[in-house]
Amino acid sequence: MSGERPAGRAARKSRELSEGDDLLRGTAEQKLGGFYAIAFGASLYVWDVAFTLGAHRTIFYYRRQELLVLSLVVLLSVVLLRRRVHTHRWVLVFFLPPILLLVLRLVVPRPLGGPGQTIDQVLNVVSLAVVPFLAVIVVQLLAPSYFSLPGRRLKLTVVAIVAIVAVIGFFVGQFNDRFITCADFVVAGEDPAPNCAHGTER
């Protein structure tokens, strides 16, 4: 063993270290590919939304417009692929509020008057109310492997991971002055958060 070259010793130690470790060997993905794909994708998305909500107390307009885009994709696919995509008409009603909100804002000039403002607020509330239903549909279309995960425990684990990431993202956004500076927001093309840290020190 004493005559073993440094490269050989390093390779042997690396093999010993990774022995029995799915993450170091990269075999965890083979066993739980769907689990990690969904957990990574959903966590990256909710972190961004939660951080923004924590830092700015709002969800940026382009995130709200994503709901419109998803609704348009589903409705257009049903119309253009009607021979291949079969669905109940009442299901499509859930995808209408974001589109109706767009039409209202396109047709009625701003600032909205009394009735227009009321309808706008109602459509906003309804659009948010149907988000859970739309999320289930979109997840089934984009990540069908989630529903084929073996056992309820894995499904709940994904939800728990994403929820924990969202909570952490919100608090990191809320206390952003501990992590990033106002200049970081500006470089990213965003308005600085009200409580951002000035200067170069974090």
Side-chain angles (χ1 to χ4, degrees), residues 64-79 85-103 123 126-142:
R64 296 195 299 268
Q65 288 182 345
E66 287 174 354
L67 185 61
L68 166 67
V69 172
L70 293 174
S71 298
L72 280 172
V73 169
V74 171
L75 288 175
L76 288 173
S77 70
V78 170
V79 172
V85 179
H86 305 284
T87 186
H88 301 292
R89 293 190 178 182
W90 63 265
V91 172
L92 301 180
V93 172
F94 288 90
F95 293 89
L96 288 178
I99 297 172
L100 294 176
L101 186 60
L102 173 73
V103 172
L123 286 175
V126 174
S127 295
L128 290 175
V130 299
V131 164
F133 180 83
L134 301 188
V136 171
I137 298 293
V138 170
V139 167
Q140 288 189 95
L141 295 173
L142 293 181

Side-chain angles (χ1 to χ4, degrees), residues 29-48:
E29 190 277 336
Q30 297 172 15
K31 299 175 182 178
L32 298 168
F35 173 87
Y36 282 107
I38 298 162
F40 282 137
S43 295
L44 288 170
Y45 182 83
V46 300
W47 175 277
D48 183 64

Side-chain angles (χ1 to χ4, degrees), residues 7-21:
R9 285 198 301 271
R12 178 173 54 81
K13 288 182 179 180
S14 177
R15 285 194 301 271
E16 291 173 355
L17 183 65
S18 63
E19 189 67 32
D21 191 307

Side-chain angles (χ1 to χ4, degrees), residues 55-70:
H56 297 282
R57 297 294 186 272
T58 188
I59 298 175
F60 288 160
Y61 74 92
Y62 57 82
R63 288 298 183 201
R64 296 195 299 268
Q65 288 182 345
E66 287 174 354
L67 185 61
L68 166 67
V69 172
L70 293 174

